Amino acid sequence: MEEPRLVEVRKNVLRANDVIARDLRETFRKSGVYVVSMVSSPGSGKTAFLEKLLTLLHARCRVAALVGDLATENDALRLARSRSPVKQIVTGTVCHLEAAMVQKALAGWDLNDLDLLFIENVGNLVCPSSYDLGESLRLILMSVTEGEDKPLKYPTIFNSADVVILTKIDLAQAVDFNENAALANIQAVRPGMQVFKVSAKSGQGVGEFLDYLYSRRDALRSTAAV
Amino acid sequence: MEEPRLVEVRKNVLRANDVIARDLRETFRKSGVYVVSMVSSPGSGKTAFLEKLLTLLHARCRVAALVGDLATENDALRLARSRSPVKQIVTGTVCHLEAAMVQKALAGWDLNDLDLLFIENVGNLVCPSSYDLGESLRLILMSVTEGEDKPLKYPTIFNSADVVILTKIDLAQAVDFNENAALANIQAVRPGMQVFKVSAKSGQGVGEFLDYLYSRRDALRSTAAV
């Protein structure tokens, strides 16, 4: 359906993004900050999960977050309660974050003062998939209230992510969530993909995910040291 | 963040879409078919609501549906249970339906045999907003599980729609849904916008919405006759 010219221009935009993302990744590595991004459909619980993580991590390490939205600074205000530095990126009409937006938002922060940085993307299961933000780990959140079929319907973004976070697991029974079907659909799209079942409300599964996060970060650090 | 050239090319694509949408609207008017489109984030319950509507409407009038998704024909298979004609539009990597896709999908159907046509867009709160599909009524679905803030975060698509369908209302208590906050956010973005609270599971509110649908269709018919 797309004009060839449009596709060509998009490719150039993507290429420019990749160059900036590569620079960002190198900067993150040098500063020793581990960067985790989050994608999901709107309302999957990215901000609630992030608030839980920031609150738990605040006492253990130096953590900060960037949060993307088309409009409003609501998420940054909400996350400020965690007492971690949080900056909002307002994208206007753009349905995803780009590496240049991340780079601009980080100006003024000394990355050497950070151990962990979270980047919450705009709620969207299509646009963010092709934009590398220089992160080391990309999480895709999927709530039990969305239905089991999302991996099959949005395979590209599931493929662009490293780990699935199955959110709102406390509601699984209320919505007749078929966990086996969901897991099978995830494996059909990306065999071997790790899945964490969490509830930001009850805290279920969050500790287990944090252990995983630390192990991933430590693995990256030891590789970088070699 | 976008290259000026990209914006320009996008504008041309949109203009081309508007021309086809205008033709479609005229065709729908001549054939006497009332066309209702649905937008929402992934997992808001578009397909469940549509299945409920098709099942109820099947005995009362001649109804059909087009359903858009990036991948899979799952929705069409699911909706086929309603015994109404349903066609799947698979968009590949495109995050919205376009008027040309609707036009192509309708080839082979005699619109004179239809009273009502539903078009279910790809699950996305950004991309579909600027694409006119020739519909007479655009519904935006928002589930109580998504949180109350979506109208403020995605104002453009809420503004492009005529009516809000608040879905999964049977789960309102389980997710501590703040209805007053949600309604205030909707009114802040589009004052006077009508809201229907429904549950496809229990059937709550679906009859009330159908009455509204008939009244809108009859109002359009009487205008067209003048």
Side-chain angles (χ1 to χ4, degrees), chain A residues 5 41-43 72 75 95 101 123-124 126 145 150 152-154 168 171 176 201, chain B residues 1 5 41-43 72 75 95 123-124 126 145 150 152-154 168 176 201:
Chain A
R5 173 75 197 150
S41 62
T72 84
D75 283 1
C95 52
M101 300 179 193
N124 201 300
V126 184
T145 61
K150 294 301 161 287
L152 302 182
K153 286 190 174 178
Y154 301 89
K168 308 189 191 182
L171 293 172
D176 298 325
K201 205 172 175 182
Chain B
M1 278 302 138
R5 174 76 198 147
S41 61
T72 83
D75 283 0
C95 52
N124 200 299
V126 184
T145 62
K150 293 301 160 290
L152 301 181
K153 287 191 173 176
Y154 300 89
K168 308 190 189 179
D176 298 325
K201 204 173 177 182

PDB file of all heavy atoms in Angstrom, chain A residues 5 41-43 72 75 95 101 123-124 126 145 150 152-154 168 171 176 201, chain B residues 1 5 41-43 72 75 95 123-124 126 145 150 152-154 168 176 201:
ATOM      1  N   ARG A   5       8.574   5.658  -2.935  1.00  0.00           N
ATOM      2  CA  ARG A   5       9.336   6.823  -2.477  1.00  0.00           C
ATOM      3  C   ARG A   5       9.274   6.928  -0.945  1.00  0.00           C
ATOM      4  O   ARG A   5      10.245   7.264  -0.286  1.00  0.00           O
ATOM      5  CB  ARG A   5       8.756   8.079  -3.132  1.00  0.00           C
ATOM      6  CG  ARG A   5       9.321   9.380  -2.644  1.00  0.00           C
ATOM      7  CD  ARG A   5      10.712   9.639  -3.198  1.00  0.00           C
ATOM      8  NE  ARG A   5      11.357  10.671  -2.394  1.00  0.00           N
ATOM      9  CZ  ARG A   5      12.639  10.765  -2.185  1.00  0.00           C
ATOM     10  NH1 ARG A   5      13.447   9.903  -2.737  1.00  0.00           N
ATOM     11  NH2 ARG A   5      13.138  11.719  -1.448  1.00  0.00           N
ATOM     12  N   SER A  41       1.413  -2.461  24.124  1.00  0.00           N
ATOM     13  CA  SER A  41       0.248  -1.700  23.686  1.00  0.00           C
ATOM     14  C   SER A  41      -0.138  -0.729  24.800  1.00  0.00           C
ATOM     15  O   SER A  41       0.295  -0.884  25.937  1.00  0.00           O
ATOM     16  CB  SER A  41      -0.905  -2.637  23.341  1.00  0.00           C
ATOM     17  OG  SER A  41      -1.307  -3.364  24.469  1.00  0.00           O
ATOM     18  N   PRO A  42      -0.936   0.295  24.488  1.00  0.00           N
ATOM     19  CA  PRO A  42      -1.332   1.235  25.540  1.00  0.00           C
ATOM     20  C   PRO A  42      -2.116   0.502  26.632  1.00  0.00           C
ATOM     21  O   PRO A  42      -2.964  -0.344  26.330  1.00  0.00           O
ATOM     22  CB  PRO A  42      -2.249   2.222  24.804  1.00  0.00           C
ATOM     23  CG  PRO A  42      -1.934   2.059  23.347  1.00  0.00           C
ATOM     24  CD  PRO A  42      -1.546   0.627  23.185  1.00  0.00           C
ATOM     25  N   GLY A  43      -1.809   0.809  27.879  1.00  0.00           N
ATOM     26  CA  GLY A  43      -2.587   0.234  28.975  1.00  0.00           C
ATOM     27  C   GLY A  43      -2.181  -1.154  29.416  1.00  0.00           C
ATOM     28  O   GLY A  43      -2.903  -1.812  30.149  1.00  0.00           O
ATOM     29  N   THR A  72       1.026  14.726  27.306  1.00  0.00           N
ATOM     30  CA  THR A  72       0.995  14.751  28.780  1.00  0.00           C
ATOM     31  C   THR A  72       2.343  14.395  29.420  1.00  0.00           C
ATOM     32  O   THR A  72       3.147  13.659  28.835  1.00  0.00           O
ATOM     33  CB  THR A  72      -0.064  13.819  29.450  1.00  0.00           C
ATOM     34  OG1 THR A  72       0.451  12.493  29.578  1.00  0.00           O
ATOM     35  CG2 THR A  72      -1.382  13.831  28.735  1.00  0.00           C
ATOM     36  N   ASP A  75       3.051  10.526  33.219  1.00  0.00           N
ATOM     37  CA  ASP A  75       3.845   9.381  33.665  1.00  0.00           C
ATOM     38  C   ASP A  75       5.047   9.829  34.486  1.00  0.00           C
ATOM     39  O   ASP A  75       5.382   9.216  35.495  1.00  0.00           O
ATOM     40  CB  ASP A  75       4.301   8.549  32.466  1.00  0.00           C
ATOM     41  CG  ASP A  75       3.164   7.684  31.931  1.00  0.00           C
ATOM     42  OD1 ASP A  75       2.055   7.778  32.501  1.00  0.00           O
ATOM     43  OD2 ASP A  75       3.380   6.948  30.967  1.00  0.00           O
ATOM     44  N   CYS A  95       4.698   8.070  16.789  1.00  0.00           N
ATOM     45  CA  CYS A  95       4.166   6.929  17.541  1.00  0.00           C
ATOM     46  C   CYS A  95       5.243   6.023  18.133  1.00  0.00           C
ATOM     47  O   CYS A  95       4.982   4.862  18.438  1.00  0.00           O
ATOM     48  CB  CYS A  95       3.225   6.132  16.650  1.00  0.00           C
ATOM     49  SG  CYS A  95       3.930   5.660  15.067  1.00  0.00           S
ATOM     50  N   MET A 101      15.788  11.252  20.168  1.00  0.00           N
ATOM     51  CA  MET A 101      14.979  11.781  21.278  1.00  0.00           C
ATOM     52  C   MET A 101      15.598  11.381  22.616  1.00  0.00           C
ATOM     53  O   MET A 101      15.629  12.164  23.564  1.00  0.00           O
ATOM     54  CB  MET A 101      13.554  11.216  21.215  1.00  0.00           C
ATOM     55  CG  MET A 101      12.784  11.538  19.961  1.00  0.00           C
ATOM     56  SD  MET A 101      11.124  10.767  20.052  1.00  0.00           S
ATOM     57  CE  MET A 101      10.570  10.919  18.359  1.00  0.00           C
ATOM     58  N   GLY A 123       3.140   3.724  23.982  1.00  0.00           N
ATOM     59  CA  GLY A 123       2.306   2.535  23.917  1.00  0.00           C
ATOM     60  C   GLY A 123       1.884   2.246  22.484  1.00  0.00           C
ATOM     61  O   GLY A 123       1.035   2.935  21.929  1.00  0.00           O
ATOM     62  N   ASN A 124       2.482   1.227  21.869  1.00  0.00           N
ATOM     63  CA  ASN A 124       2.222   0.941  20.459  1.00  0.00           C
ATOM     64  C   ASN A 124       2.894  -0.381  20.114  1.00  0.00           C
ATOM     65  O   ASN A 124       4.056  -0.592  20.468  1.00  0.00           O
ATOM     66  CB  ASN A 124       2.807   2.066  19.583  1.00  0.00           C
ATOM     67  CG  ASN A 124       2.172   2.110  18.211  1.00  0.00           C
ATOM     68  OD1 ASN A 124       2.247   1.142  17.461  1.00  0.00           O
ATOM     69  ND2 ASN A 124       1.530   3.210  17.884  1.00  0.00           N
ATOM     70  N   VAL A 126       3.352  -1.474  16.982  1.00  0.00           N
ATOM     71  CA  VAL A 126       3.858  -1.487  15.619  1.00  0.00           C
ATOM     72  C   VAL A 126       5.088  -0.579  15.469  1.00  0.00           C
ATOM     73  O   VAL A 126       6.205  -1.050  15.260  1.00  0.00           O
ATOM     74  CB  VAL A 126       2.769  -1.082  14.603  1.00  0.00           C
ATOM     75  CG1 VAL A 126       3.298  -1.211  13.178  1.00  0.00           C
ATOM     76  CG2 VAL A 126       1.519  -1.926  14.788  1.00  0.00           C
ATOM     77  N   THR A 145      -5.162  -9.194  30.311  1.00  0.00           N
ATOM     78  CA  THR A 145      -6.478  -8.682  29.875  1.00  0.00           C
ATOM     79  C   THR A 145      -6.544  -8.452  28.360  1.00  0.00           C
ATOM     80  O   THR A 145      -7.621  -8.223  27.823  1.00  0.00           O
ATOM     81  CB  THR A 145      -6.799  -7.354  30.585  1.00  0.00           C
ATOM     82  OG1 THR A 145      -5.803  -6.395  30.230  1.00  0.00           O
ATOM     83  CG2 THR A 145      -6.803  -7.515  32.093  1.00  0.00           C
ATOM     84  N   LYS A 150      -1.921 -11.839  20.934  1.00  0.00           N
ATOM     85  CA  LYS A 150      -1.113 -10.689  20.502  1.00  0.00           C
ATOM     86  C   LYS A 150       0.220 -11.063  19.841  1.00  0.00           C
ATOM     87  O   LYS A 150       0.598 -10.435  18.852  1.00  0.00           O
ATOM     88  CB  LYS A 150      -0.904  -9.711  21.664  1.00  0.00           C
ATOM     89  CG  LYS A 150      -2.191  -9.030  22.129  1.00  0.00           C
ATOM     90  CD  LYS A 150      -2.873  -8.248  21.034  1.00  0.00           C
ATOM     91  CE  LYS A 150      -4.333  -7.979  21.340  1.00  0.00           C
ATOM     92  NZ  LYS A 150      -5.232  -9.153  21.227  1.00  0.00           N
ATOM     93  N   LEU A 152       0.901 -13.481  17.857  1.00  0.00           N
ATOM     94  CA  LEU A 152       0.629 -13.882  16.467  1.00  0.00           C
ATOM     95  C   LEU A 152       0.236 -12.680  15.612  1.00  0.00           C
ATOM     96  O   LEU A 152       0.531 -12.633  14.423  1.00  0.00           O
ATOM     97  CB  LEU A 152      -0.491 -14.927  16.423  1.00  0.00           C
ATOM     98  CG  LEU A 152      -0.251 -16.216  17.214  1.00  0.00           C
ATOM     99  CD1 LEU A 152      -1.433 -17.163  17.036  1.00  0.00           C
ATOM    100  CD2 LEU A 152       1.045 -16.891  16.771  1.00  0.00           C
ATOM    101  N   LYS A 153      -0.439 -11.713  16.241  1.00  0.00           N
ATOM    102  CA  LYS A 153      -0.907 -10.558  15.473  1.00  0.00           C
ATOM    103  C   LYS A 153       0.155  -9.484  15.302  1.00  0.00           C
ATOM    104  O   LYS A 153       0.052  -8.664  14.392  1.00  0.00           O
ATOM    105  CB  LYS A 153      -2.129  -9.955  16.158  1.00  0.00           C
ATOM    106  CG  LYS A 153      -3.384 -10.783  15.995  1.00  0.00           C
ATOM    107  CD  LYS A 153      -4.568 -10.007  16.481  1.00  0.00           C
ATOM    108  CE  LYS A 153      -5.858 -10.727  16.222  1.00  0.00           C
ATOM    109  NZ  LYS A 153      -6.989  -9.946  16.752  1.00  0.00           N
ATOM    110  N   TYR A 154       1.122  -9.440  16.204  1.00  0.00           N
ATOM    111  CA  TYR A 154       2.178  -8.426  16.137  1.00  0.00           C
ATOM    112  C   TYR A 154       3.547  -9.104  16.232  1.00  0.00           C
ATOM    113  O   TYR A 154       4.334  -8.813  17.120  1.00  0.00           O
ATOM    114  CB  TYR A 154       1.998  -7.393  17.257  1.00  0.00           C
ATOM    115  CG  TYR A 154       0.659  -6.684  17.183  1.00  0.00           C
ATOM    116  CD1 TYR A 154      -0.466  -7.196  17.820  1.00  0.00           C
ATOM    117  CD2 TYR A 154       0.515  -5.509  16.440  1.00  0.00           C
ATOM    118  CE1 TYR A 154      -1.696  -6.568  17.727  1.00  0.00           C
ATOM    119  CE2 TYR A 154      -0.705  -4.873  16.339  1.00  0.00           C
ATOM    120  CZ  TYR A 154      -1.812  -5.409  16.991  1.00  0.00           C
ATOM    121  OH  TYR A 154      -3.025  -4.788  16.887  1.00  0.00           O
ATOM    122  N   LYS A 168      -0.251  -7.957  35.001  1.00  0.00           N
ATOM    123  CA  LYS A 168      -1.610  -8.060  35.585  1.00  0.00           C
ATOM    124  C   LYS A 168      -1.999  -9.528  35.821  1.00  0.00           C
ATOM    125  O   LYS A 168      -3.159  -9.900  35.615  1.00  0.00           O
ATOM    126  CB  LYS A 168      -2.649  -7.354  34.695  1.00  0.00           C
ATOM    127  CG  LYS A 168      -2.280  -5.922  34.340  1.00  0.00           C
ATOM    128  CD  LYS A 168      -3.400  -5.168  33.651  1.00  0.00           C
ATOM    129  CE  LYS A 168      -2.895  -3.834  33.085  1.00  0.00           C
ATOM    130  NZ  LYS A 168      -3.913  -3.016  32.440  1.00  0.00           N
ATOM    131  N   LEU A 171      -5.041 -10.759  37.590  1.00  0.00           N
ATOM    132  CA  LEU A 171      -6.375 -10.728  36.962  1.00  0.00           C
ATOM    133  C   LEU A 171      -6.621 -11.948  36.069  1.00  0.00           C
ATOM    134  O   LEU A 171      -7.673 -12.040  35.425  1.00  0.00           O
ATOM    135  CB  LEU A 171      -6.532  -9.461  36.114  1.00  0.00           C
ATOM    136  CG  LEU A 171      -6.572  -8.126  36.869  1.00  0.00           C
ATOM    137  CD1 LEU A 171      -6.532  -6.970  35.884  1.00  0.00           C
ATOM    138  CD2 LEU A 171      -7.835  -8.038  37.730  1.00  0.00           C
ATOM    139  N   ASP A 176     -10.401 -15.135  32.538  1.00  0.00           N
ATOM    140  CA  ASP A 176     -10.295 -16.469  31.916  1.00  0.00           C
ATOM    141  C   ASP A 176      -9.065 -16.574  31.023  1.00  0.00           C
ATOM    142  O   ASP A 176      -9.140 -17.076  29.888  1.00  0.00           O
ATOM    143  CB  ASP A 176     -11.541 -16.783  31.059  1.00  0.00           C
ATOM    144  CG  ASP A 176     -12.809 -16.816  31.888  1.00  0.00           C
ATOM    145  OD1 ASP A 176     -12.743 -17.258  33.053  1.00  0.00           O
ATOM    146  OD2 ASP A 176     -13.861 -16.388  31.368  1.00  0.00           O
ATOM    147  N   LYS A 201       0.708  -4.812  41.109  1.00  0.00           N
ATOM    148  CA  LYS A 201      -0.194  -4.542  42.235  1.00  0.00           C
ATOM    149  C   LYS A 201       0.193  -5.398  43.456  1.00  0.00           C
ATOM    150  O   LYS A 201       0.372  -4.875  44.545  1.00  0.00           O
ATOM    151  CB  LYS A 201      -1.618  -4.888  41.792  1.00  0.00           C
ATOM    152  CG  LYS A 201      -2.701  -4.152  42.540  1.00  0.00           C
ATOM    153  CD  LYS A 201      -4.041  -4.442  41.862  1.00  0.00           C
ATOM    154  CE  LYS A 201      -5.222  -3.860  42.599  1.00  0.00           C
ATOM    155  NZ  LYS A 201      -6.481  -4.219  41.913  1.00  0.00           N
TER     156      LYS A 201
ATOM    157  N   MET B   1      11.134  15.523  14.835  1.00  0.00           N
ATOM    158  CA  MET B   1      12.107  14.456  14.619  1.00  0.00           C
ATOM    159  C   MET B   1      12.064  13.963  13.167  1.00  0.00           C
ATOM    160  O   MET B   1      12.928  13.264  12.703  1.00  0.00           O
ATOM    161  CB  MET B   1      11.763  13.254  15.528  1.00  0.00           C
ATOM    162  CG  MET B   1      12.270  13.412  16.926  1.00  0.00           C
ATOM    163  SD  MET B   1      14.048  13.635  16.966  1.00  0.00           S
ATOM    164  CE  MET B   1      14.181  14.929  18.183  1.00  0.00           C
ATOM    165  N   ARG B   5      11.063  16.068   4.133  1.00  0.00           N
ATOM    166  CA  ARG B   5      10.695  15.324   2.920  1.00  0.00           C
ATOM    167  C   ARG B   5       9.705  14.192   3.264  1.00  0.00           C
ATOM    168  O   ARG B   5       8.761  13.943   2.538  1.00  0.00           O
ATOM    169  CB  ARG B   5      11.969  14.747   2.294  1.00  0.00           C
ATOM    170  CG  ARG B   5      11.770  13.840   1.122  1.00  0.00           C
ATOM    171  CD  ARG B   5      11.431  14.590  -0.151  1.00  0.00           C
ATOM    172  NE  ARG B   5      10.837  13.662  -1.103  1.00  0.00           N
ATOM    173  CZ  ARG B   5       9.909  13.970  -1.970  1.00  0.00           C
ATOM    174  NH1 ARG B   5       9.450  15.207  -2.027  1.00  0.00           N
ATOM    175  NH2 ARG B   5       9.418  13.085  -2.789  1.00  0.00           N
ATOM    176  N   SER B  41      -6.716   0.398  21.110  1.00  0.00           N
ATOM    177  CA  SER B  41      -5.412  -0.233  21.310  1.00  0.00           C
ATOM    178  C   SER B  41      -5.591  -1.743  21.181  1.00  0.00           C
ATOM    179  O   SER B  41      -6.710  -2.244  21.253  1.00  0.00           O
ATOM    180  CB  SER B  41      -4.823   0.147  22.661  1.00  0.00           C
ATOM    181  OG  SER B  41      -5.655  -0.276  23.691  1.00  0.00           O
ATOM    182  N   PRO B  42      -4.496  -2.486  20.986  1.00  0.00           N
ATOM    183  CA  PRO B  42      -4.641  -3.943  20.881  1.00  0.00           C
ATOM    184  C   PRO B  42      -5.213  -4.508  22.180  1.00  0.00           C
ATOM    185  O   PRO B  42      -4.822  -4.084  23.265  1.00  0.00           O
ATOM    186  CB  PRO B  42      -3.189  -4.421  20.691  1.00  0.00           C
ATOM    187  CG  PRO B  42      -2.428  -3.223  20.228  1.00  0.00           C
ATOM    188  CD  PRO B  42      -3.088  -2.053  20.866  1.00  0.00           C
ATOM    189  N   GLY B  43      -6.160  -5.421  22.064  1.00  0.00           N
ATOM    190  CA  GLY B  43      -6.669  -6.091  23.258  1.00  0.00           C
ATOM    191  C   GLY B  43      -7.743  -5.347  24.019  1.00  0.00           C
ATOM    192  O   GLY B  43      -8.055  -5.693  25.154  1.00  0.00           O
ATOM    193  N   THR B  72      -2.223 -12.787  10.578  1.00  0.00           N
ATOM    194  CA  THR B  72      -3.227 -13.814  10.930  1.00  0.00           C
ATOM    195  C   THR B  72      -4.625 -13.503  10.392  1.00  0.00           C
ATOM    196  O   THR B  72      -4.991 -12.350  10.207  1.00  0.00           O
ATOM    197  CB  THR B  72      -3.392 -14.091  12.472  1.00  0.00           C
ATOM    198  OG1 THR B  72      -4.279 -13.122  13.046  1.00  0.00           O
ATOM    199  CG2 THR B  72      -2.077 -14.138  13.178  1.00  0.00           C
ATOM    200  N   ASP B  75      -9.179 -13.329  13.429  1.00  0.00           N
ATOM    201  CA  ASP B  75     -10.403 -12.597  13.739  1.00  0.00           C
ATOM    202  C   ASP B  75     -11.536 -12.977  12.790  1.00  0.00           C
ATOM    203  O   ASP B  75     -12.678 -13.129  13.212  1.00  0.00           O
ATOM    204  CB  ASP B  75     -10.157 -11.089  13.690  1.00  0.00           C
ATOM    205  CG  ASP B  75      -9.426 -10.608  14.939  1.00  0.00           C
ATOM    206  OD1 ASP B  75      -9.131 -11.461  15.803  1.00  0.00           O
ATOM    207  OD2 ASP B  75      -9.174  -9.409  15.050  1.00  0.00           O
ATOM    208  N   CYS B  95       0.416  -0.125   9.973  1.00  0.00           N
ATOM    209  CA  CYS B  95      -0.223  -0.094  11.293  1.00  0.00           C
ATOM    210  C   CYS B  95      -1.632   0.499  11.285  1.00  0.00           C
ATOM    211  O   CYS B  95      -2.134   0.918  12.327  1.00  0.00           O
ATOM    212  CB  CYS B  95       0.655   0.647  12.280  1.00  0.00           C
ATOM    213  SG  CYS B  95       1.176   2.281  11.715  1.00  0.00           S
ATOM    214  N   GLY B 123      -5.329  -2.791  15.698  1.00  0.00           N
ATOM    215  CA  GLY B 123      -5.232  -2.281  17.072  1.00  0.00           C
ATOM    216  C   GLY B 123      -4.070  -1.321  17.216  1.00  0.00           C
ATOM    217  O   GLY B 123      -2.911  -1.738  17.192  1.00  0.00           O
ATOM    218  N   ASN B 124      -4.387  -0.018  17.320  1.00  0.00           N
ATOM    219  CA  ASN B 124      -3.345   1.005  17.373  1.00  0.00           C
ATOM    220  C   ASN B 124      -4.001   2.338  17.715  1.00  0.00           C
ATOM    221  O   ASN B 124      -5.023   2.677  17.131  1.00  0.00           O
ATOM    222  CB  ASN B 124      -2.654   1.108  16.005  1.00  0.00           C
ATOM    223  CG  ASN B 124      -1.295   1.763  16.095  1.00  0.00           C
ATOM    224  OD1 ASN B 124      -1.185   2.910  16.504  1.00  0.00           O
ATOM    225  ND2 ASN B 124      -0.256   1.028  15.743  1.00  0.00           N
ATOM    226  N   VAL B 126      -2.529   5.292  17.367  1.00  0.00           N
ATOM    227  CA  VAL B 126      -1.883   6.415  16.692  1.00  0.00           C
ATOM    228  C   VAL B 126      -2.176   6.418  15.193  1.00  0.00           C
ATOM    229  O   VAL B 126      -2.887   7.275  14.676  1.00  0.00           O
ATOM    230  CB  VAL B 126      -0.352   6.429  16.941  1.00  0.00           C
ATOM    231  CG1 VAL B 126       0.284   7.646  16.320  1.00  0.00           C
ATOM    232  CG2 VAL B 126      -0.061   6.389  18.433  1.00  0.00           C
ATOM    233  N   THR B 145      -9.605  -1.994  31.733  1.00  0.00           N
ATOM    234  CA  THR B 145      -8.318  -2.528  32.200  1.00  0.00           C
ATOM    235  C   THR B 145      -7.126  -1.695  31.740  1.00  0.00           C
ATOM    236  O   THR B 145      -6.008  -1.901  32.194  1.00  0.00           O
ATOM    237  CB  THR B 145      -8.111  -3.982  31.705  1.00  0.00           C
ATOM    238  OG1 THR B 145      -8.095  -3.965  30.279  1.00  0.00           O
ATOM    239  CG2 THR B 145      -9.204  -4.890  32.189  1.00  0.00           C
ATOM    240  N   LYS B 150      -6.013   7.218  28.989  1.00  0.00           N
ATOM    241  CA  LYS B 150      -5.751   7.087  27.552  1.00  0.00           C
ATOM    242  C   LYS B 150      -6.237   8.281  26.722  1.00  0.00           C
ATOM    243  O   LYS B 150      -5.541   8.683  25.789  1.00  0.00           O
ATOM    244  CB  LYS B 150      -6.327   5.770  27.010  1.00  0.00           C
ATOM    245  CG  LYS B 150      -5.610   4.535  27.569  1.00  0.00           C
ATOM    246  CD  LYS B 150      -4.137   4.518  27.269  1.00  0.00           C
ATOM    247  CE  LYS B 150      -3.342   3.611  28.181  1.00  0.00           C
ATOM    248  NZ  LYS B 150      -3.221   4.064  29.575  1.00  0.00           N
ATOM    249  N   LEU B 152      -6.183  11.414  27.392  1.00  0.00           N
ATOM    250  CA  LEU B 152      -5.208  12.509  27.504  1.00  0.00           C
ATOM    251  C   LEU B 152      -3.917  12.171  26.769  1.00  0.00           C
ATOM    252  O   LEU B 152      -3.250  13.052  26.229  1.00  0.00           O
ATOM    253  CB  LEU B 152      -4.890  12.787  28.982  1.00  0.00           C
ATOM    254  CG  LEU B 152      -6.081  13.165  29.867  1.00  0.00           C
ATOM    255  CD1 LEU B 152      -5.610  13.425  31.296  1.00  0.00           C
ATOM    256  CD2 LEU B 152      -6.799  14.396  29.317  1.00  0.00           C
ATOM    257  N   LYS B 153      -3.575  10.877  26.734  1.00  0.00           N
ATOM    258  CA  LYS B 153      -2.310  10.483  26.101  1.00  0.00           C
ATOM    259  C   LYS B 153      -2.426  10.316  24.594  1.00  0.00           C
ATOM    260  O   LYS B 153      -1.427  10.372  23.889  1.00  0.00           O
ATOM    261  CB  LYS B 153      -1.823   9.172  26.719  1.00  0.00           C
ATOM    262  CG  LYS B 153      -1.282   9.346  28.114  1.00  0.00           C
ATOM    263  CD  LYS B 153      -0.592   8.077  28.534  1.00  0.00           C
ATOM    264  CE  LYS B 153       0.119   8.237  29.843  1.00  0.00           C
ATOM    265  NZ  LYS B 153       0.701   6.947  30.255  1.00  0.00           N
ATOM    266  N   TYR B 154      -3.631  10.045  24.115  1.00  0.00           N
ATOM    267  CA  TYR B 154      -3.836   9.848  22.669  1.00  0.00           C
ATOM    268  C   TYR B 154      -4.990  10.738  22.198  1.00  0.00           C
ATOM    269  O   TYR B 154      -5.982  10.241  21.654  1.00  0.00           O
ATOM    270  CB  TYR B 154      -4.125   8.371  22.365  1.00  0.00           C
ATOM    271  CG  TYR B 154      -3.000   7.464  22.799  1.00  0.00           C
ATOM    272  CD1 TYR B 154      -2.957   6.936  24.083  1.00  0.00           C
ATOM    273  CD2 TYR B 154      -1.945   7.181  21.936  1.00  0.00           C
ATOM    274  CE1 TYR B 154      -1.902   6.134  24.505  1.00  0.00           C
ATOM    275  CE2 TYR B 154      -0.891   6.372  22.345  1.00  0.00           C
ATOM    276  CZ  TYR B 154      -0.873   5.859  23.619  1.00  0.00           C
ATOM    277  OH  TYR B 154       0.169   5.070  24.029  1.00  0.00           O
ATOM    278  N   LYS B 168     -15.374  -4.081  28.594  1.00  0.00           N
ATOM    279  CA  LYS B 168     -15.018  -4.923  29.755  1.00  0.00           C
ATOM    280  C   LYS B 168     -15.493  -4.300  31.059  1.00  0.00           C
ATOM    281  O   LYS B 168     -14.802  -4.371  32.079  1.00  0.00           O
ATOM    282  CB  LYS B 168     -13.492  -5.172  29.795  1.00  0.00           C
ATOM    283  CG  LYS B 168     -12.936  -5.691  28.472  1.00  0.00           C
ATOM    284  CD  LYS B 168     -11.493  -6.147  28.598  1.00  0.00           C
ATOM    285  CE  LYS B 168     -10.893  -6.445  27.222  1.00  0.00           C
ATOM    286  NZ  LYS B 168      -9.515  -6.875  27.222  1.00  0.00           N
ATOM    287  N   ASP B 176     -10.212  -1.718  39.939  1.00  0.00           N
ATOM    288  CA  ASP B 176     -10.353  -0.409  40.612  1.00  0.00           C
ATOM    289  C   ASP B 176     -10.524   0.714  39.606  1.00  0.00           C
ATOM    290  O   ASP B 176      -9.890   1.776  39.725  1.00  0.00           O
ATOM    291  CB  ASP B 176      -9.114  -0.104  41.494  1.00  0.00           C
ATOM    292  CG  ASP B 176      -8.943  -1.115  42.604  1.00  0.00           C
ATOM    293  OD1 ASP B 176      -9.980  -1.583  43.132  1.00  0.00           O
ATOM    294  OD2 ASP B 176      -7.790  -1.444  42.948  1.00  0.00           O
ATOM    295  N   LYS B 201     -19.094  -9.798  27.274  1.00  0.00           N
ATOM    296  CA  LYS B 201     -19.219 -11.060  28.001  1.00  0.00           C
ATOM    297  C   LYS B 201     -20.623 -11.201  28.599  1.00  0.00           C
ATOM    298  O   LYS B 201     -21.294 -12.207  28.382  1.00  0.00           O
ATOM    299  CB  LYS B 201     -18.167 -11.094  29.115  1.00  0.00           C
ATOM    300  CG  LYS B 201     -17.766 -12.454  29.582  1.00  0.00           C
ATOM    301  CD  LYS B 201     -16.602 -12.312  30.546  1.00  0.00           C
ATOM    302  CE  LYS B 201     -16.184 -13.637  31.126  1.00  0.00           C
ATOM    303  NZ  LYS B 201     -15.084 -13.450  32.100  1.00  0.00           N
TER     304      LYS B 201
END
